Amino acid sequence: MSKNKEAAAASIILSYLNESNRPYSAQDVFGNLQKQHGFGKTAVVKVMEMLASQGKITEKVYGKQKIYFPDQSQFTDVSDSELKNLDNQISELNSKSQSVQQNCRQLEIELKELNSSMTTEELISETEQLKKECKSYQEKLQKIKLASNHVTPEEKEKVYKERIHLVKEWKKRKRMVTDMMDAILEGYPKSKKQFLEEVGIETDEDCKVKMPDL
């Protein structure tokens, strides 16, 4: 690092420490200022050690870690009333900060809902499509109303009873045939499949049909 860059970095770091007025390690300062100013960690360590040697900041060693903080003699003493006033200001700012954060979260929720909802153009298009579908259904309903071949309740009941009768007959005849085949197969020398082929009987399964439920 050149002398000019070193002096500029020292000025920025010193101002940062004085404005913050709290203890930092070199790693803390590097992490807080690197993104904005592009300082390297080695340069930050060197500058802070230089500022400490010049007496512009104070260095304290805790085990293997060095902590730096601004020279406290440059700050005026603060009375208890001033400290209390500062505490009140901090409390008020914290309340405002929480309120702003809550408002931001609410705005994020509303924004998410707006982004997921349909646009005006999409709503217009969807409305037109629904109108077309509604018109189509109305036309179909009108055709049904005008048709002369409606099925009466009596006719519907008659067809339903006839269906029940036919299904029962189907079951009855299938059971009779099954009983007859079982009796024949007791003395038949071949398999059931061969018997069915020779006699020419087709089962429901052969015809791929299933007996309906009543």
Side-chain angles (χ1 to χ4, degrees):
M1 180 182 289
S2 65
K3 291 293 183 181
N4 290 337
K5 289 185 176 179
E6 185 177 275
S11 176
I12 292 172
I13 292 173
L14 181 60
S15 296
Y16 175 73
L17 291 174
N18 287 335
E19 290 173 4
S20 302
N21 192 21
R22 53 169 293 179
Y24 284 114
S25 66
Q27 177 65 39
D28 294 332
V29 174
F30 164 71
N32 295 339
L33 299 181
Q34 190 273 335
K35 186 176 181 180
Q36 182 179 359
H37 300 284
F39 295 150
K41 183 177 180 180
T42 303
V44 171
V45 172
K46 181 179 178 181
V47 167
M48 295 187 74
E49 289 179 345
M50 179 189 72
L51 290 171
S53 65
Q54 294 173 352
K56 294 180 179 179
I57 62 175
T58 302
E59 176 186 276
K60 292 289 184 180
V61 180
Y62 298 93
K64 296 181 179 180
Q65 188 175 34
K66 293 181 179 181
I67 299 298
Y68 300 89
F69 51 89
D71 180 13
Q72 297 301 300
S73 63
Q74 63 182 307
F75 302 111
T76 58
D77 293 335
V78 181
S79 65
D80 291 342
S81 61
E82 289 175 321
L83 286 174
K84 186 176 181 180
N85 185 44
L86 288 173
D87 287 338
N88 291 334
Q89 290 180 24
I90 291 172
S91 178
E92 183 179 348
L93 289 172
N94 283 334
S95 298
K96 289 182 178 179
S97 175
Q98 291 176 1
S99 177
V100 170
Q101 289 177 0
Q102 185 175 355
N103 289 336
C104 285
R105 286 193 293 269
Q106 182 62 34
L107 289 173
E108 287 175 355
I109 294 172
E110 292 178 6
L111 178 60
K112 186 176 180 180
E113 291 176 351
L114 288 173
N115 288 334
S116 62
S117 60
M118 300 175 70
T119 63
T120 302
E121 291 77 11
E122 290 172 337
L123 285 172
I124 293 174
S125 177
E126 181 73 11
T127 302
E128 291 300 321
Q129 182 63 31
L130 290 173
K131 285 181 178 179
K132 290 179 181 179
E133 292 180 7
C134 183
K135 183 179 179 181
S136 175
Y137 292 140
Q138 287 176 340
E139 291 174 352
K140 289 180 180 179
L141 178 61
Q142 187 64 21
K143 288 179 181 179
I144 293 172
K145 288 181 178 179
L146 295 175
S148 58
N149 58 344
H150 293 304
V151 178
T152 64
E154 292 77 13
E155 291 173 326
K156 183 178 178 181
E157 181 67 19
K158 181 180 178 181
V159 171
Y160 180 72
K161 288 182 178 180
E162 185 177 356
R163 175 184 178 276
I164 294 176
H165 172 71
L166 292 174
V167 172
K168 286 182 177 179
E169 283 296 318
W170 184 352
K171 288 185 176 182
K172 178 181 176 182
R173 295 185 184 188
K174 183 175 182 179
R175 185 168 57 251
M176 289 173 59
V177 172
T178 301
D179 292 341
M180 289 174 61
M181 283 197 305
D182 289 342
I184 294 171
L185 288 171
E186 287 182 1
Y188 189 71
K190 300 179 182 180
S191 66
K192 179 179 179 180
K193 182 178 180 182
Q194 290 174 317
F195 171 74
L196 293 174
E197 289 176 352
E198 290 180 1
V199 178
I201 298 176
E202 291 184 338
T203 64
D204 292 345
E205 290 75 16
D206 294 332
C207 297
K208 297 181 179 180
V209 296
K210 182 181 179 182
M211 186 179 298
D213 297 327
L214 291 175

